[in-house]
């Protein structure tokens, strides 16, 4: 019997969760987590970049799953479907 190595599962520092409806008259938003802690709301990809930078994280590639994980949509998903 041979043992197989466990697959590598990345745990990125940044997670951007699915789109949530905003209050009436406000734009939808996505909850943003850094290092497992809820940081706040992001309404645009620029918000994600600026918030990450404020925590000392520079994002060079928004599509790198080892850096940022997009849940419930990608970096272009900012409205409810």
């Amino acid at each position: 019997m041979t043992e197989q190595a466990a697959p590598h599962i990345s745990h990125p520092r940044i997670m951007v969760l699915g789109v949530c409806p905003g209050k009436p008259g406000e734009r939808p938003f996505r909850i943003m987590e850094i290092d497992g802690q809820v940081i706040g709301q992001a309404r645009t990809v620029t918000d994600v970049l600026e918030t990450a930078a404020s925590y000392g994280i520079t994002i060079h590639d928004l599509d790198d799953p080892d850096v940022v994980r997009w849940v419930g949509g990608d970096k272009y998903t900012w409205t409810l479907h």
Side-chain angles (χ1 to χ4, degrees):
M1 186 166 147
T2 59
E3 293 184 29
Q4 294 182 353
H8 172 73
I9 300 174
S10 69
H11 295 282
R13 294 190 65 192
I14 301 167
M15 291 204 33
V16 182
L17 304 180
V19 177
C20 300
K23 294 179 183 177
E26 291 185 1
R27 292 171 43 196
F29 61 90
R30 296 176 77 169
I31 299 294
M32 187 172 169
E33 296 180 1
I34 294 180
D35 296 330
Q37 300 294 315
V38 173
I39 300 305
Q41 301 174 359
R43 287 190 161 78
T44 66
V45 72
T46 303
D47 291 345
V48 173
L49 293 168
E50 289 175 350
T51 301
S54 73
Y55 281 80
I57 304 168
T58 302
I59 300 174
H60 295 286
D61 183 358
L62 287 165
D63 295 318
D64 184 348
D66 290 331
V67 177
V68 59
R69 178 165 296 148
W70 301 93
V71 178
D74 60 13
K75 63 186 176 190
Y76 299 112
T77 307
W78 296 98
T79 58
L80 292 171
H81 295 268

